């Protein structure tokens, strides 16, 4: 709504999800461009980054301090810089390797699906590991917490005529 709008960026038509990382918003459009916006102001951090290929269906991914983006026909790796991003690697894929699914990161490896195969990328000899699960928050014992956590009202549906009353 106009009352809650903090900022607005026009001109991007996309079917991908957005990526937020370190105060920036990364958005790819159907014209094969990646936009980098300041999260607070919506102002562009740099000019749109031209990608190899034109259509972007896969959502961008951030892993190991880099941004990974797939167009339907190419794979991109960008290093994050103060002024935007710097290309580290680009690879045009074969025609049967059309990418419409988003990449995934798990245990030190990146997976991305194509129309004919799934690729797994990682450093050879690297032992896969996951981040430790953070400790769960401590719960207050029930005897010390007298505030109700849930109120359930039943029945949940009632068909009434005008003037009728229903006790819950």
């Amino acid at each position: 709504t106009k009352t809650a709008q903090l900022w607005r960026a026009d001109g991007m038509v996309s079917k991908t999800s957005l990526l937020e990382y370190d105060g920036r918003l990364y958005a790819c459009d159907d014209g094969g461009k990646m936009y980098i916006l300041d999260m607070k102001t919506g102002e562009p951090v740099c000019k749109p980054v031209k990608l190899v290929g034109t259509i972007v269906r896969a959502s961008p991914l951030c892993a190991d301090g880099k941004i990974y983006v797939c167009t339907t026909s190419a794979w991109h790796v960008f290093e994050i810089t103060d002024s935007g991003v710097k290309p580290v690697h680009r690879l045009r894929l074969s025609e049967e390797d059309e990418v419409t699914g988003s990449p995934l990161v798990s245990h030190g490896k990146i997976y991305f699906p194509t129309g004919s195969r799934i690729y797994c990328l990682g450093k050879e000899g690297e032992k896969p590991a996951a981040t430790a699960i953070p400790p769960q928050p401590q719960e207050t014992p029930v005897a010390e917490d007298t505030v109700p956590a849930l109120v359930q009202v039943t029945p949940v549906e009632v068909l009434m005529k005008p003037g009728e009353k229903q006790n819950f």
Side-chain angles (χ1 to χ4, degrees):
T1 66
K2 291 181 180 180
T3 59
Q5 180 175 296
L6 299 177
W7 55 265
R8 176 173 147 166
D10 293 323
M12 291 178 266
V13 177
S14 177
K15 293 176 180 65
T16 69
S17 296
L18 304 172
L19 170 68
E20 182 276 325
Y21 182 74
D22 200 25
R24 292 182 179 174
L25 189 66
Y26 297 83
C28 298
D29 73 2
D30 285 349
K33 293 180 188 151
M34 180 172 63
Y35 298 83
I36 306 169
L37 307 173
D38 181 274
M39 287 282 295
K40 290 180 184 169
T41 66
E43 292 298 316
V45 172
C46 59
K47 290 182 181 180
V49 178
K50 180 65 181 135
L51 304 170
V52 175
T54 56
I55 303 170
V56 182
R57 294 290 181 256
S59 298
L61 169 75
C62 182
D64 198 25
K66 294 178 184 66
I67 304 291
Y68 298 85
V69 178
C70 293
T71 62
T72 54
S73 59
W75 164 259
H76 304 76
V77 182
F78 295 100
E79 182 180 305
I80 300 167
T81 66
D82 290 339
S83 59
V85 292
K86 177 177 119 182
V88 174
H89 184 73
R90 291 181 181 175
L91 173 68
R92 178 155 313 261
L93 301 167
S94 61
E95 194 172 303
E96 68 270 7
D97 276 337
E98 181 179 49
V99 179
T100 57
S102 298
L104 162 84
V105 64
S106 178
H107 294 81
K109 296 188 177 5
I110 296 175
Y111 301 86
F112 74 97
T114 74
S116 62
R117 53 187 66 94
I118 296 175
Y119 290 92
C120 173
L121 306 175
K123 294 179 182 172
E124 195 171 329
E126 189 92 7
K127 236 182 172 179
T131 305
I133 297 173
Q136 296 298 308
Q138 295 295 319
E139 293 184 25
T140 306
V142 175
E144 297 175 21
D145 188 2
T146 58
V147 177
L150 172 73
V151 174
Q152 183 173 359
V153 179
T154 57
V156 294
E157 293 183 23
V158 176
L159 181 59
M160 298 173 56
K161 294 180 182 171
E164 290 182 334
K165 293 183 180 182
Q166 174 66 47
N167 291 327
F168 292 100

